[in-house]
Amino acid sequence: MKYQQIKEQICDVCHKMWQLGWVAANDGNVSVRLEDGTFLATPTGISKSFITPDKLVIIDGEGKVLEGAPGYKPSSEIKMHLRCYKERPDVGAVVHAHPPTATGYAVANKPLDEYSMIETVLTLGSVPVTPYGTPSTYEVPEAIAPYLGKHDVVLLQNHGALAVGADAVTAYYRMETLELFAKISLTAHLLGGAKEIPMQQIDKLMDLRDNYYHISGKHPGYKKYSEE
Ligand code: 13P
């Protein structure tokens, strides 16, 4: 994909997140890994509704600004993003937001780990809550690192959600799936609780995931269920 298209895709994702009410004020951040090993990132302290391609900054693997309009610094959560790229060579984009229902689970310290809805079983598997970390510090990358090998989406305790993907749209779609699943789970809970899908059926879904849909990314349940 061309450089300008990547920038526009990041802006589209930012605008969608704001329109959906997943980010208030300056919340949320998006980054993309570029072919030359540098990264495009949203700047810190700007509403995602106002992001335009010229506001994005280019940084190196340490978070040092290589290119950017005067006064624009990368997101304060860039250490969290860079850790995702370090742990996962397959990851080309990282999206962080505070979608309200999923973040409700993060605040309640409740993982979204019931295998109860087909679409989510296929695409995300279980979504854990990673331990608390002070935003912008190395506590956050340290807290998420142990989960990144098996998860494309995690909840950040008392904070929000993080999704990774091969590109910005894939990571964004995972965040959409997470928020919808959080809403469905909450509704099921209000109705007396979700009915989980039996293991044999999960195995069939895993077959579909690999051989029919060719869904990318990690899946925590795949090994768990197949090896049992
Ligand atoms: P930035 O504006 O620095 O990206 O921070 C927003 C945010 O959501 C912090 O968690």
Side-chain angles (χ1 to χ4, degrees):
M1 201 191 296
K2 294 212 178 76
Y3 181 57
Q4 190 57 26
Q5 278 177 303
I6 298 173
K7 283 181 148 185
E8 280 162 16
Q9 202 169 67
I10 293 175
C11 294
D12 278 351
V13 165
C14 288
H15 301 160
K16 280 183 172 31
M17 296 202 303
W18 179 79
Q19 282 159 357
L20 287 163
W22 296 355
V23 287
N26 302 329
D27 299 348
N29 24 74
V30 180
S31 68
V32 166
R33 182 179 355 225
L34 299 173
E35 269 178 8
D36 64 359
T38 62
F39 303 87
L40 264 171
T42 49
T44 186
I46 294 182
S47 164
K48 300 303 143 323
S49 65
F50 295 133
I51 296 286
T52 46
D54 56 302
K55 294 194 175 85
L56 301 174
V57 292
I58 299 186
I59 54 163
D60 67 12
E62 305 300 316
K64 194 173 136 233
V65 179
L66 303 175
E67 218 180 294
Y72 288 93
K73 292 192 200 136
S75 165
S76 59
E77 296 290 11
I78 203 66
K79 297 182 188 79
M80 170 175 79
H81 289 240
L82 292 173
R83 188 64 180 260
C84 295
Y85 297 115
K86 198 169 166 210
E87 298 288 331
R88 292 276 301 273
D90 60 313
V91 163
V94 178
V95 170
H96 164 56
H98 307 158
T101 312
T103 301
Y105 278 80
V107 167
N109 195 20
K110 286 188 188 299
L112 281 158
D113 60 359
E114 283 176 337
Y115 278 19
S116 55
M117 197 219 167
I118 284 172
E119 197 64 34
T120 316
V121 172
L122 278 169
T123 55
L124 301 186
S126 66
V127 180
V129 184
T130 62
Y132 183 88
T134 305
S136 83
T137 71
Y138 282 106
E139 287 173 22
V140 184
E142 284 303 307
I144 61 166
Y147 297 85
L148 292 172
K150 284 192 179 164
H151 298 268
D152 295 317
V153 178
V154 296
L155 296 170
L156 309 170
Q157 194 180 318
N158 299 108
H159 186 172
L162 181 72
V164 301
D167 51 53
V169 170
T170 304
Y172 165 78
Y173 280 160
R174 287 181 178 151
M175 191 69 86
E176 263 192 357
T177 301
L178 169 76
E179 179 61 357
L180 186 64
F181 182 53
K183 286 180 184 163
I184 292 165
S185 295
L186 186 60
T187 307
H189 178 76
L190 293 173
L191 294 169
K195 181 174 159 53
E196 286 211 84
I197 302 168
M199 269 185 215
Q200 308 89 297
Q201 300 297 346
I202 301 274
D203 279 340
K204 283 198 234 167
L205 289 175
M206 292 301 110
D207 264 3
L208 278 185
R209 175 184 156 89
D210 287 349
N211 301 323
Y212 186 72
Y213 294 117
H214 302 293
I215 294 171
S216 66
K218 304 286 179 190
H219 195 292
Y222 180 77
K223 290 279 179 231
K224 186 177 142 205
Y225 281 98
S226 301
E227 282 168 10
E228 266 170 10

